[in-house]
Short mmCIF file of all heavy atoms in Angstrom, two decimals:
data_model
loop_
_atom_site.label_atom_id
_atom_site.label_comp_id
_atom_site.label_asym_id
_atom_site.label_seq_id
_atom_site.Cartn_x
_atom_site.Cartn_y
_atom_site.Cartn_z
N MET S 145 -13.67 41.93 140.03
CA MET S 145 -13.42 40.51 140.12
C MET S 145 -12.61 40.20 141.34
O MET S 145 -11.74 40.96 141.74
CB MET S 145 -12.67 39.99 138.88
CG MET S 145 -13.43 40.10 137.59
SD MET S 145 -12.66 39.03 136.42
CE MET S 145 -13.97 37.90 136.17
N SER S 146 -12.85 39.08 141.87
CA SER S 146 -12.16 38.67 143.10
C SER S 146 -10.80 38.07 142.74
O SER S 146 -10.63 37.39 141.76
CB SER S 146 -13.00 37.62 143.82
OG SER S 146 -12.28 37.12 144.90
N ALA S 147 -9.82 38.37 143.58
CA ALA S 147 -8.48 37.85 143.39
C ALA S 147 -8.29 36.52 144.07
O ALA S 147 -7.22 35.98 144.14
CB ALA S 147 -7.45 38.85 143.90
N GLU S 148 -9.39 35.96 144.56
CA GLU S 148 -9.31 34.69 145.29
C GLU S 148 -9.03 33.56 144.31
O GLU S 148 -9.65 33.47 143.25
CB GLU S 148 -10.64 34.47 146.02
CG GLU S 148 -10.68 33.17 146.76
CD GLU S 148 -12.04 32.95 147.43
OE1 GLU S 148 -12.82 33.91 147.52
OE2 GLU S 148 -12.30 31.82 147.84
N ARG S 149 -8.13 32.70 144.69
CA ARG S 149 -7.79 31.54 143.85
C ARG S 149 -8.09 30.28 144.64
O ARG S 149 -7.39 29.95 145.59
CB ARG S 149 -6.34 31.55 143.43
CG ARG S 149 -6.05 32.69 142.52
CD ARG S 149 -4.63 32.62 142.03
NE ARG S 149 -4.37 33.73 141.16
CZ ARG S 149 -3.86 33.61 139.94
NH1 ARG S 149 -3.51 32.44 139.53
NH2 ARG S 149 -3.67 34.67 139.21
N THR S 150 -9.12 29.56 144.23
CA THR S 150 -9.44 28.31 144.88
C THR S 150 -9.38 27.20 143.85
O THR S 150 -9.77 27.39 142.69
CB THR S 150 -10.85 28.36 145.51
OG1 THR S 150 -11.79 28.66 144.47
CG2 THR S 150 -10.94 29.39 146.58
N SER S 151 -8.94 26.07 144.30
CA SER S 151 -8.83 24.91 143.42
C SER S 151 -10.19 24.21 143.35
O SER S 151 -10.90 24.11 144.37
CB SER S 151 -7.76 23.97 143.94
OG SER S 151 -7.73 22.80 143.14
N LEU S 152 -10.54 23.74 142.21
CA LEU S 152 -11.78 22.99 142.04
C LEU S 152 -11.64 21.55 142.55
O LEU S 152 -12.61 20.89 142.87
CB LEU S 152 -12.23 22.99 140.59
CG LEU S 152 -12.59 24.36 140.00
CD1 LEU S 152 -12.91 24.21 138.56
CD2 LEU S 152 -13.72 24.98 140.77
N ILE S 153 -10.39 21.10 142.62
CA ILE S 153 -10.11 19.73 143.07
C ILE S 153 -9.33 19.84 144.36
O ILE S 153 -8.37 20.59 144.45
CB ILE S 153 -9.30 18.96 142.02
CG1 ILE S 153 -10.04 18.89 140.71
CG2 ILE S 153 -8.95 17.57 142.52
CD1 ILE S 153 -9.25 18.31 139.59
N ASP S 154 -9.73 19.04 145.33
CA ASP S 154 -9.07 19.04 146.62
C ASP S 154 -7.77 18.25 146.47
O ASP S 154 -7.75 17.03 146.48
CB ASP S 154 -9.94 18.43 147.71
CG ASP S 154 -9.31 18.52 149.08
OD1 ASP S 154 -8.34 19.28 149.25
OD2 ASP S 154 -9.82 17.84 149.98
N VAL S 155 -6.64 18.95 146.30
CA VAL S 155 -5.37 18.30 146.07
C VAL S 155 -4.72 17.87 147.37
O VAL S 155 -3.72 17.13 147.36
CB VAL S 155 -4.39 19.20 145.28
CG1 VAL S 155 -4.90 19.39 143.90
CG2 VAL S 155 -4.18 20.51 146.01
N SER S 156 -5.24 18.27 148.51
CA SER S 156 -4.66 17.88 149.78
C SER S 156 -5.08 16.50 150.21
O SER S 156 -4.50 15.91 151.13
CB SER S 156 -5.00 18.90 150.86
OG SER S 156 -6.41 18.89 151.08
N TYR S 157 -6.08 15.93 149.54
CA TYR S 157 -6.58 14.60 149.94
C TYR S 157 -5.65 13.53 149.41
O TYR S 157 -5.38 13.46 148.23
CB TYR S 157 -7.98 14.39 149.35
CG TYR S 157 -8.57 13.05 149.70
CD1 TYR S 157 -8.99 12.76 150.98
CD2 TYR S 157 -8.68 12.08 148.73
CE1 TYR S 157 -9.51 11.53 151.30
CE2 TYR S 157 -9.21 10.85 149.02
CZ TYR S 157 -9.61 10.57 150.31
OH TYR S 157 -10.14 9.35 150.60
N THR S 158 -5.16 12.68 150.31
CA THR S 158 -4.25 11.62 149.91
C THR S 158 -4.79 10.26 150.34
O THR S 158 -4.01 9.34 150.54
CB THR S 158 -2.86 11.82 150.51
OG1 THR S 158 -2.99 11.85 151.95
CG2 THR S 158 -2.22 13.10 150.02
N GLY S 159 -6.07 10.12 150.47
CA GLY S 159 -6.67 8.86 150.91
C GLY S 159 -6.50 7.77 149.87
O GLY S 159 -6.27 8.01 148.70
N SER S 160 -6.61 6.54 150.36
CA SER S 160 -6.40 5.41 149.46
C SER S 160 -7.73 4.83 148.97
O SER S 160 -7.75 3.77 148.38
CB SER S 160 -5.63 4.31 150.19
OG SER S 160 -6.39 3.84 151.27
N ASP S 161 -8.83 5.53 149.22
CA ASP S 161 -10.13 4.98 148.78
C ASP S 161 -10.54 5.60 147.43
O ASP S 161 -11.67 5.97 147.23
CB ASP S 161 -11.20 5.18 149.83
CG ASP S 161 -11.40 6.65 150.19
OD1 ASP S 161 -10.56 7.50 149.79
OD2 ASP S 161 -12.36 6.95 150.89
N ASP S 162 -9.61 5.71 146.53
CA ASP S 162 -9.86 6.16 145.19
C ASP S 162 -10.64 5.06 144.45
O ASP S 162 -10.22 3.93 144.43
CB ASP S 162 -8.55 6.47 144.46
CG ASP S 162 -8.74 7.01 143.09
OD1 ASP S 162 -9.87 7.54 142.81
OD2 ASP S 162 -7.82 6.92 142.26
N ILE S 163 -11.77 5.44 143.88
CA ILE S 163 -12.65 4.43 143.26
C ILE S 163 -11.98 3.77 142.05
O ILE S 163 -12.17 2.57 141.82
CB ILE S 163 -14.01 5.05 142.88
CG1 ILE S 163 -15.01 4.00 142.47
CG2 ILE S 163 -13.84 6.07 141.78
CD1 ILE S 163 -15.52 3.20 143.61
N ALA S 164 -11.17 4.50 141.30
CA ALA S 164 -10.53 3.91 140.13
C ALA S 164 -9.52 2.85 140.55
O ALA S 164 -9.43 1.77 139.93
CB ALA S 164 -9.84 4.97 139.31
N SER S 165 -8.73 3.13 141.57
CA SER S 165 -7.76 2.11 142.01
C SER S 165 -8.43 0.92 142.67
O SER S 165 -7.91 -0.20 142.60
CB SER S 165 -6.74 2.73 142.96
OG SER S 165 -7.38 3.15 144.16
N GLN S 166 -9.56 1.12 143.29
CA GLN S 166 -10.28 0.00 143.90
C GLN S 166 -10.91 -0.92 142.85
O GLN S 166 -10.92 -2.12 143.02
CB GLN S 166 -11.38 0.50 144.83
CG GLN S 166 -10.90 1.09 146.12
CD GLN S 166 -12.02 1.60 146.98
OE1 GLN S 166 -13.20 1.54 146.58
NE2 GLN S 166 -11.69 2.11 148.13
N MET S 167 -11.41 -0.34 141.80
CA MET S 167 -12.10 -1.12 140.80
C MET S 167 -11.20 -1.66 139.69
O MET S 167 -11.62 -2.47 138.89
CB MET S 167 -13.24 -0.31 140.16
CG MET S 167 -14.37 0.01 141.11
SD MET S 167 -15.68 0.88 140.32
CE MET S 167 -16.23 -0.33 139.15
N SER S 168 -9.95 -1.22 139.62
CA SER S 168 -9.11 -1.60 138.50
C SER S 168 -8.84 -3.10 138.47
O SER S 168 -8.81 -3.71 137.41
CB SER S 168 -7.80 -0.83 138.53
OG SER S 168 -7.06 -1.18 139.68
N GLY S 169 -8.65 -3.72 139.62
CA GLY S 169 -8.43 -5.16 139.64
C GLY S 169 -9.66 -5.93 139.20
O GLY S 169 -9.60 -6.87 138.41
N MET S 170 -10.81 -5.54 139.72
CA MET S 170 -12.07 -6.19 139.37
C MET S 170 -12.41 -5.96 137.89
O MET S 170 -12.84 -6.87 137.20
CB MET S 170 -13.20 -5.65 140.25
CG MET S 170 -14.52 -6.34 139.97
SD MET S 170 -15.84 -5.79 141.08
CE MET S 170 -15.96 -4.06 140.73
N LEU S 171 -12.20 -4.74 137.41
CA LEU S 171 -12.50 -4.44 136.01
C LEU S 171 -11.62 -5.25 135.08
O LEU S 171 -12.09 -5.76 134.07
CB LEU S 171 -12.31 -2.95 135.75
CG LEU S 171 -12.60 -2.47 134.35
CD1 LEU S 171 -14.06 -2.72 134.00
CD2 LEU S 171 -12.26 -1.00 134.21
N GLY S 172 -10.35 -5.39 135.42
CA GLY S 172 -9.45 -6.22 134.62
C GLY S 172 -9.90 -7.67 134.53
O GLY S 172 -9.82 -8.29 133.47
N LYS S 173 -10.38 -8.18 135.65
CA LYS S 173 -10.84 -9.58 135.67
C LYS S 173 -12.12 -9.74 134.84
O LYS S 173 -12.29 -10.74 134.14
CB LYS S 173 -11.10 -10.02 137.11
CG LYS S 173 -9.82 -10.18 137.89
CD LYS S 173 -10.10 -10.52 139.35
CE LYS S 173 -8.77 -10.56 140.14
NZ LYS S 173 -9.00 -10.76 141.54
N VAL S 174 -12.99 -8.73 134.90
CA VAL S 174 -14.23 -8.79 134.10
C VAL S 174 -13.90 -8.76 132.61
O VAL S 174 -14.44 -9.52 131.82
CB VAL S 174 -15.18 -7.64 134.50
CG1 VAL S 174 -16.33 -7.52 133.51
CG2 VAL S 174 -15.70 -7.87 135.89
N ILE S 175 -13.02 -7.88 132.21
CA ILE S 175 -12.63 -7.74 130.80
C ILE S 175 -11.94 -9.03 130.32
O ILE S 175 -12.21 -9.52 129.24
CB ILE S 175 -11.73 -6.53 130.58
CG1 ILE S 175 -12.53 -5.25 130.80
CG2 ILE S 175 -11.08 -6.55 129.21
CD1 ILE S 175 -11.71 -3.98 130.78
N LEU S 176 -11.07 -9.61 131.14
CA LEU S 176 -10.41 -10.86 130.78
C LEU S 176 -11.44 -11.98 130.63
O LEU S 176 -11.37 -12.75 129.68
CB LEU S 176 -9.39 -11.27 131.85
CG LEU S 176 -8.69 -12.59 131.62
CD1 LEU S 176 -7.82 -12.53 130.37
CD2 LEU S 176 -7.85 -12.95 132.84
N GLY S 177 -12.41 -12.04 131.51
CA GLY S 177 -13.47 -13.05 131.41
C GLY S 177 -14.29 -12.91 130.13
O GLY S 177 -14.59 -13.87 129.46
N LEU S 178 -14.62 -11.65 129.77
CA LEU S 178 -15.39 -11.41 128.55
C LEU S 178 -14.57 -11.81 127.32
O LEU S 178 -15.13 -12.32 126.35
CB LEU S 178 -15.78 -9.95 128.47
CG LEU S 178 -16.89 -9.49 129.45
CD1 LEU S 178 -17.08 -7.99 129.37
CD2 LEU S 178 -18.18 -10.24 129.15
N GLN S 179 -13.26 -11.53 127.34
CA GLN S 179 -12.44 -11.91 126.21
C GLN S 179 -12.34 -13.42 126.08
O GLN S 179 -12.38 -13.95 124.94
CB GLN S 179 -11.04 -11.31 126.37
CG GLN S 179 -10.97 -9.85 126.15
CD GLN S 179 -9.58 -9.28 126.37
OE1 GLN S 179 -8.72 -9.93 126.95
NE2 GLN S 179 -9.36 -8.06 125.91
N ILE S 180 -12.25 -14.13 127.17
CA ILE S 180 -12.20 -15.60 127.14
C ILE S 180 -13.51 -16.16 126.58
O ILE S 180 -13.52 -17.06 125.74
CB ILE S 180 -11.84 -16.16 128.50
CG1 ILE S 180 -10.39 -15.84 128.86
CG2 ILE S 180 -12.09 -17.67 128.56
CD1 ILE S 180 -10.00 -16.16 130.26
N VAL S 181 -14.63 -15.60 127.06
CA VAL S 181 -15.94 -16.08 126.59
C VAL S 181 -16.08 -15.80 125.08
O VAL S 181 -16.53 -16.67 124.34
CB VAL S 181 -17.08 -15.42 127.39
CG1 VAL S 181 -18.43 -15.64 126.74
CG2 VAL S 181 -17.10 -15.94 128.81
N ALA S 182 -15.67 -14.62 124.64
CA ALA S 182 -15.78 -14.30 123.23
C ALA S 182 -14.89 -15.20 122.37
O ALA S 182 -15.32 -15.66 121.31
CB ALA S 182 -15.39 -12.83 123.00
N ALA S 183 -13.69 -15.51 122.86
CA ALA S 183 -12.78 -16.40 122.11
C ALA S 183 -13.38 -17.80 122.00
O ALA S 183 -13.31 -18.43 120.94
CB ALA S 183 -11.41 -16.45 122.78
N VAL S 184 -13.96 -18.32 123.08
CA VAL S 184 -14.55 -19.65 123.06
C VAL S 184 -15.74 -19.68 122.09
O VAL S 184 -15.87 -20.62 121.30
CB VAL S 184 -14.98 -20.07 124.50
CG1 VAL S 184 -15.86 -21.30 124.46
CG2 VAL S 184 -13.74 -20.30 125.35
N VAL S 185 -16.56 -18.66 122.13
CA VAL S 185 -17.72 -18.61 121.23
C VAL S 185 -17.26 -18.56 119.77
O VAL S 185 -17.79 -19.27 118.90
CB VAL S 185 -18.62 -17.40 121.56
CG1 VAL S 185 -19.63 -17.15 120.46
CG2 VAL S 185 -19.32 -17.63 122.90
N ILE S 186 -16.25 -17.74 119.48
CA ILE S 186 -15.77 -17.64 118.12
C ILE S 186 -15.18 -18.96 117.63
O ILE S 186 -15.45 -19.40 116.52
CB ILE S 186 -14.74 -16.49 118.01
CG1 ILE S 186 -15.46 -15.15 118.12
CG2 ILE S 186 -13.95 -16.57 116.71
CD1 ILE S 186 -14.55 -13.96 118.26
N PHE S 187 -14.36 -19.60 118.47
CA PHE S 187 -13.71 -20.84 118.04
C PHE S 187 -14.68 -22.01 117.92
O PHE S 187 -14.50 -22.90 117.08
CB PHE S 187 -12.56 -21.20 118.99
CG PHE S 187 -11.36 -20.32 118.80
CD1 PHE S 187 -10.85 -19.63 119.87
CD2 PHE S 187 -10.75 -20.20 117.56
CE1 PHE S 187 -9.74 -18.81 119.71
CE2 PHE S 187 -9.61 -19.40 117.40
CZ PHE S 187 -9.12 -18.69 118.48
N LEU S 188 -15.74 -22.04 118.74
CA LEU S 188 -16.65 -23.17 118.72
C LEU S 188 -17.81 -23.00 117.72
O LEU S 188 -18.27 -24.00 117.14
CB LEU S 188 -17.20 -23.42 120.11
CG LEU S 188 -16.21 -23.90 121.16
CD1 LEU S 188 -16.90 -24.08 122.49
CD2 LEU S 188 -15.55 -25.20 120.71
N LEU S 189 -18.29 -21.77 117.52
CA LEU S 189 -19.49 -21.61 116.73
C LEU S 189 -19.26 -21.14 115.32
O LEU S 189 -20.18 -21.21 114.51
CB LEU S 189 -20.43 -20.62 117.45
CG LEU S 189 -20.91 -21.07 118.82
CD1 LEU S 189 -21.84 -19.99 119.41
CD2 LEU S 189 -21.64 -22.40 118.78
N PHE S 190 -18.08 -20.66 115.00
CA PHE S 190 -17.82 -20.12 113.67
C PHE S 190 -16.78 -20.99 112.97
O PHE S 190 -15.89 -21.52 113.59
CB PHE S 190 -17.33 -18.68 113.73
CG PHE S 190 -18.39 -17.75 114.23
CD1 PHE S 190 -18.39 -17.36 115.57
CD2 PHE S 190 -19.35 -17.25 113.39
CE1 PHE S 190 -19.37 -16.49 116.04
CE2 PHE S 190 -20.33 -16.38 113.88
CZ PHE S 190 -20.34 -16.02 115.21
N SER S 191 -16.93 -21.09 111.67
CA SER S 191 -15.94 -21.85 110.88
C SER S 191 -15.69 -21.14 109.55
O SER S 191 -16.53 -20.36 109.08
CB SER S 191 -16.42 -23.27 110.64
OG SER S 191 -17.56 -23.23 109.83
N TYR S 192 -14.55 -21.42 108.99
CA TYR S 192 -14.23 -20.85 107.68
C TYR S 192 -14.83 -21.74 106.60
O TYR S 192 -14.92 -22.96 106.73
CB TYR S 192 -12.71 -20.78 107.49
CG TYR S 192 -12.05 -19.74 108.33
CD1 TYR S 192 -11.31 -20.11 109.45
CD2 TYR S 192 -12.17 -18.39 108.01
CE1 TYR S 192 -10.69 -19.12 110.23
CE2 TYR S 192 -11.57 -17.43 108.77
CZ TYR S 192 -10.82 -17.81 109.89
OH TYR S 192 -10.22 -16.85 110.66
N ASP S 193 -15.21 -21.11 105.48
CA ASP S 193 -15.65 -21.89 104.33
C ASP S 193 -14.43 -22.52 103.67
O ASP S 193 -13.29 -22.10 103.87
CB ASP S 193 -16.36 -20.99 103.33
CG ASP S 193 -17.74 -20.54 103.82
OD1 ASP S 193 -18.29 -21.26 104.70
OD2 ASP S 193 -18.24 -19.51 103.36
N SER S 194 -14.68 -23.52 102.89
CA SER S 194 -13.58 -24.16 102.16
C SER S 194 -13.07 -23.21 101.09
O SER S 194 -13.77 -22.27 100.66
CB SER S 194 -14.02 -25.47 101.56
OG SER S 194 -14.92 -25.23 100.52
N VAL S 195 -11.87 -23.42 100.65
CA VAL S 195 -11.26 -22.56 99.63
C VAL S 195 -12.03 -22.64 98.33
O VAL S 195 -12.08 -21.66 97.55
CB VAL S 195 -9.79 -23.00 99.43
CG1 VAL S 195 -9.13 -22.17 98.32
CG2 VAL S 195 -9.03 -22.88 100.72
N ASP S 196 -12.68 -23.75 98.05
CA ASP S 196 -13.41 -23.89 96.79
C ASP S 196 -14.61 -22.95 96.70
O ASP S 196 -15.07 -22.67 95.59
CB ASP S 196 -13.89 -25.34 96.65
CG ASP S 196 -12.74 -26.31 96.59
OD1 ASP S 196 -11.63 -25.91 96.15
OD2 ASP S 196 -12.93 -27.47 96.99
N GLU S 197 -15.11 -22.47 97.82
CA GLU S 197 -16.30 -21.60 97.80
C GLU S 197 -15.98 -20.18 97.41
O GLU S 197 -16.87 -19.39 97.16
CB GLU S 197 -16.98 -21.65 99.17
CG GLU S 197 -17.39 -23.04 99.52
CD GLU S 197 -18.73 -23.08 100.24
OE1 GLU S 197 -19.39 -22.03 100.32
OE2 GLU S 197 -19.12 -24.16 100.67
N PHE S 198 -14.69 -19.81 97.42
CA PHE S 198 -14.31 -18.44 97.07
C PHE S 198 -13.97 -18.39 95.59
O PHE S 198 -12.98 -18.94 95.14
CB PHE S 198 -13.14 -17.97 97.91
CG PHE S 198 -13.46 -17.84 99.37
CD1 PHE S 198 -13.01 -18.75 100.28
CD2 PHE S 198 -14.26 -16.78 99.79
CE1 PHE S 198 -13.33 -18.60 101.63
CE2 PHE S 198 -14.59 -16.64 101.13
CZ PHE S 198 -14.13 -17.55 102.05
N THR S 199 -14.82 -17.73 94.84
CA THR S 199 -14.60 -17.63 93.39
C THR S 199 -13.88 -16.32 93.09
O THR S 199 -13.73 -15.45 93.95
CB THR S 199 -15.94 -17.64 92.67
OG1 THR S 199 -16.71 -16.50 93.09
CG2 THR S 199 -16.72 -18.91 92.96
N THR S 200 -13.45 -16.20 91.88
CA THR S 200 -12.78 -14.99 91.43
C THR S 200 -13.74 -13.78 91.53
O THR S 200 -13.33 -12.69 91.94
CB THR S 200 -12.29 -15.15 89.99
OG1 THR S 200 -11.44 -16.30 89.93
CG2 THR S 200 -11.54 -13.93 89.52
N GLN S 201 -14.97 -14.00 91.20
CA GLN S 201 -15.97 -12.90 91.29
C GLN S 201 -16.13 -12.42 92.72
O GLN S 201 -16.17 -11.20 92.96
CB GLN S 201 -17.31 -13.38 90.72
CG GLN S 201 -18.33 -12.28 90.63
CD GLN S 201 -17.97 -11.20 89.65
OE1 GLN S 201 -17.24 -11.43 88.70
NE2 GLN S 201 -18.45 -10.00 89.89
N LYS S 202 -16.20 -13.30 93.68
CA LYS S 202 -16.31 -12.90 95.09
C LYS S 202 -15.06 -12.16 95.55
O LYS S 202 -15.15 -11.19 96.30
CB LYS S 202 -16.53 -14.11 95.98
CG LYS S 202 -17.93 -14.70 95.89
CD LYS S 202 -18.07 -15.84 96.86
CE LYS S 202 -19.43 -16.47 96.80
NZ LYS S 202 -19.57 -17.58 97.74
N TYR S 203 -13.92 -12.60 95.08
CA TYR S 203 -12.67 -11.95 95.47
C TYR S 203 -12.59 -10.52 94.92
O TYR S 203 -12.19 -9.59 95.62
CB TYR S 203 -11.44 -12.74 94.99
CG TYR S 203 -10.14 -12.02 95.27
CD1 TYR S 203 -9.64 -11.93 96.55
CD2 TYR S 203 -9.49 -11.35 94.25
CE1 TYR S 203 -8.46 -11.24 96.80
CE2 TYR S 203 -8.31 -10.68 94.47
CZ TYR S 203 -7.81 -10.62 95.78
OH TYR S 203 -6.66 -9.93 96.00
N ILE S 204 -13.03 -10.35 93.70
CA ILE S 204 -13.01 -9.02 93.09
C ILE S 204 -13.94 -8.07 93.85
O ILE S 204 -13.56 -6.91 94.10
CB ILE S 204 -13.40 -9.11 91.59
CG1 ILE S 204 -12.29 -9.82 90.81
CG2 ILE S 204 -13.65 -7.74 91.00
CD1 ILE S 204 -12.64 -10.15 89.38
N ILE S 205 -15.10 -8.53 94.20
CA ILE S 205 -16.04 -7.71 94.97
C ILE S 205 -15.44 -7.36 96.33
O ILE S 205 -15.49 -6.22 96.79
CB ILE S 205 -17.40 -8.40 95.10
CG1 ILE S 205 -18.08 -8.50 93.74
CG2 ILE S 205 -18.30 -7.69 96.08
CD1 ILE S 205 -19.31 -9.36 93.72
N PHE S 206 -14.86 -8.36 97.00
CA PHE S 206 -14.23 -8.13 98.30
C PHE S 206 -13.12 -7.11 98.19
O PHE S 206 -13.03 -6.18 98.99
CB PHE S 206 -13.70 -9.45 98.84
CG PHE S 206 -12.88 -9.31 100.08
CD1 PHE S 206 -13.46 -9.13 101.32
CD2 PHE S 206 -11.48 -9.37 100.00
CE1 PHE S 206 -12.68 -8.98 102.46
CE2 PHE S 206 -10.71 -9.24 101.11
CZ PHE S 206 -11.31 -9.04 102.35
N ARG S 207 -12.27 -7.24 97.18
CA ARG S 207 -11.14 -6.32 97.00
C ARG S 207 -11.63 -4.91 96.75
O ARG S 207 -11.13 -3.95 97.30
CB ARG S 207 -10.29 -6.82 95.85
CG ARG S 207 -9.03 -5.98 95.65
CD ARG S 207 -8.41 -6.26 94.33
NE ARG S 207 -9.35 -5.93 93.26
CZ ARG S 207 -9.25 -6.33 92.03
NH1 ARG S 207 -8.26 -7.11 91.66
NH2 ARG S 207 -10.15 -5.98 91.13
N ASP S 208 -12.66 -4.77 95.91
CA ASP S 208 -13.19 -3.44 95.62
C ASP S 208 -13.79 -2.77 96.85
O ASP S 208 -13.61 -1.57 97.07
CB ASP S 208 -14.25 -3.53 94.51
CG ASP S 208 -13.63 -3.89 93.17
OD1 ASP S 208 -12.41 -3.79 93.02
OD2 ASP S 208 -14.40 -4.28 92.25
N ILE S 209 -14.48 -3.55 97.67
CA ILE S 209 -15.05 -2.99 98.91
C ILE S 209 -13.93 -2.54 99.86
O ILE S 209 -14.02 -1.49 100.48
CB ILE S 209 -15.98 -4.02 99.56
CG1 ILE S 209 -17.25 -4.17 98.70
CG2 ILE S 209 -16.35 -3.56 100.98
CD1 ILE S 209 -18.16 -5.28 99.17
N MET S 210 -12.87 -3.35 99.96
CA MET S 210 -11.77 -2.98 100.84
C MET S 210 -11.07 -1.69 100.37
O MET S 210 -10.71 -0.84 101.16
CB MET S 210 -10.74 -4.11 100.93
CG MET S 210 -11.24 -5.32 101.66
SD MET S 210 -11.68 -4.97 103.34
CE MET S 210 -13.45 -5.32 103.34
N VAL S 211 -10.95 -1.54 99.05
CA VAL S 211 -10.37 -0.31 98.51
C VAL S 211 -11.26 0.88 98.81
O VAL S 211 -10.80 1.96 99.20
CB VAL S 211 -10.09 -0.44 97.00
CG1 VAL S 211 -9.73 0.90 96.38
CG2 VAL S 211 -8.98 -1.45 96.77
N MET S 212 -12.58 0.73 98.66
CA MET S 212 -13.50 1.80 98.97
C MET S 212 -13.44 2.17 100.44
O MET S 212 -13.50 3.36 100.79
CB MET S 212 -14.93 1.43 98.57
CG MET S 212 -15.17 1.42 97.07
SD MET S 212 -16.90 1.20 96.65
CE MET S 212 -17.17 -0.50 97.13
N LEU S 213 -13.34 1.20 101.31
CA LEU S 213 -13.22 1.50 102.74
C LEU S 213 -11.95 2.24 103.03
O LEU S 213 -11.92 3.18 103.85
CB LEU S 213 -13.31 0.20 103.55
CG LEU S 213 -14.67 -0.43 103.64
CD1 LEU S 213 -14.56 -1.80 104.32
CD2 LEU S 213 -15.63 0.45 104.39
N LEU S 214 -10.85 1.83 102.44
CA LEU S 214 -9.56 2.50 102.67
C LEU S 214 -9.63 3.94 102.22
O LEU S 214 -9.25 4.85 102.94
CB LEU S 214 -8.44 1.77 101.95
CG LEU S 214 -7.07 2.46 102.01
CD1 LEU S 214 -6.55 2.40 103.40
CD2 LEU S 214 -6.13 1.81 101.03
N LEU S 215 -10.13 4.16 101.05
CA LEU S 215 -10.18 5.56 100.51
C LEU S 215 -11.24 6.38 101.21
O LEU S 215 -11.06 7.60 101.40
CB LEU S 215 -10.44 5.51 99.02
CG LEU S 215 -9.33 4.90 98.16
CD1 LEU S 215 -9.75 4.86 96.71
CD2 LEU S 215 -8.03 5.65 98.36
N GLY S 216 -12.32 5.75 101.62
CA GLY S 216 -13.39 6.51 102.28
C GLY S 216 -13.10 6.86 103.71
O GLY S 216 -13.46 7.95 104.17
N PHE S 217 -12.44 6.00 104.45
CA PHE S 217 -12.20 6.22 105.87
C PHE S 217 -10.74 6.52 106.19
O PHE S 217 -10.44 7.14 107.19
CB PHE S 217 -12.65 5.03 106.69
CG PHE S 217 -14.13 4.77 106.60
CD1 PHE S 217 -14.59 3.63 105.97
CD2 PHE S 217 -15.03 5.67 107.14
CE1 PHE S 217 -15.94 3.36 105.88
CE2 PHE S 217 -16.38 5.43 107.04
CZ PHE S 217 -16.82 4.29 106.42
N GLY S 218 -9.84 6.09 105.32
CA GLY S 218 -8.42 6.24 105.63
C GLY S 218 -7.90 7.65 105.53
O GLY S 218 -7.02 8.05 106.25
N TYR S 219 -8.49 8.47 104.65
CA TYR S 219 -7.98 9.80 104.45
C TYR S 219 -8.92 10.88 105.04
O TYR S 219 -8.76 12.04 104.78
CB TYR S 219 -7.79 10.06 102.97
CG TYR S 219 -6.74 9.15 102.38
CD1 TYR S 219 -7.08 8.16 101.48
CD2 TYR S 219 -5.41 9.26 102.79
CE1 TYR S 219 -6.11 7.33 100.96
CE2 TYR S 219 -4.45 8.42 102.26
CZ TYR S 219 -4.79 7.45 101.36
OH TYR S 219 -3.86 6.62 100.88
N ARG S 220 -9.90 10.47 105.79
CA ARG S 220 -10.85 11.41 106.38
C ARG S 220 -10.20 12.05 107.60
O ARG S 220 -9.65 11.40 108.45
CB ARG S 220 -12.11 10.67 106.78
CG ARG S 220 -13.18 11.58 107.26
CD ARG S 220 -14.41 10.83 107.53
NE ARG S 220 -15.41 11.74 108.10
CZ ARG S 220 -16.59 11.35 108.44
NH1 ARG S 220 -16.96 10.13 108.30
NH2 ARG S 220 -17.42 12.22 108.91
N LYS S 221 -10.30 13.36 107.68
CA LYS S 221 -9.71 14.08 108.81
C LYS S 221 -10.77 14.52 109.76
O LYS S 221 -11.83 14.79 109.52
CB LYS S 221 -8.91 15.28 108.31
CG LYS S 221 -7.68 14.84 107.60
CD LYS S 221 -6.86 16.04 107.23
CE LYS S 221 -5.62 15.61 106.50
NZ LYS S 221 -4.75 16.69 106.18
#
């Protein structure tokens, strides 16, 4: 085996044209824009039902499903 030690990454390069640092500002603006669009769509197109539409039977089913989700996914390793 060869005793040669070469780095797989050129650590001597200190240039400022790193693609991640160049795109971070633009990526942040794109993500912010998508969040604003999603918030506007949610607030304008969706509404809550009135309280009268939620019956005891619907609540029991909802509660049971939430318990199943907690037990099924909460303790999974």
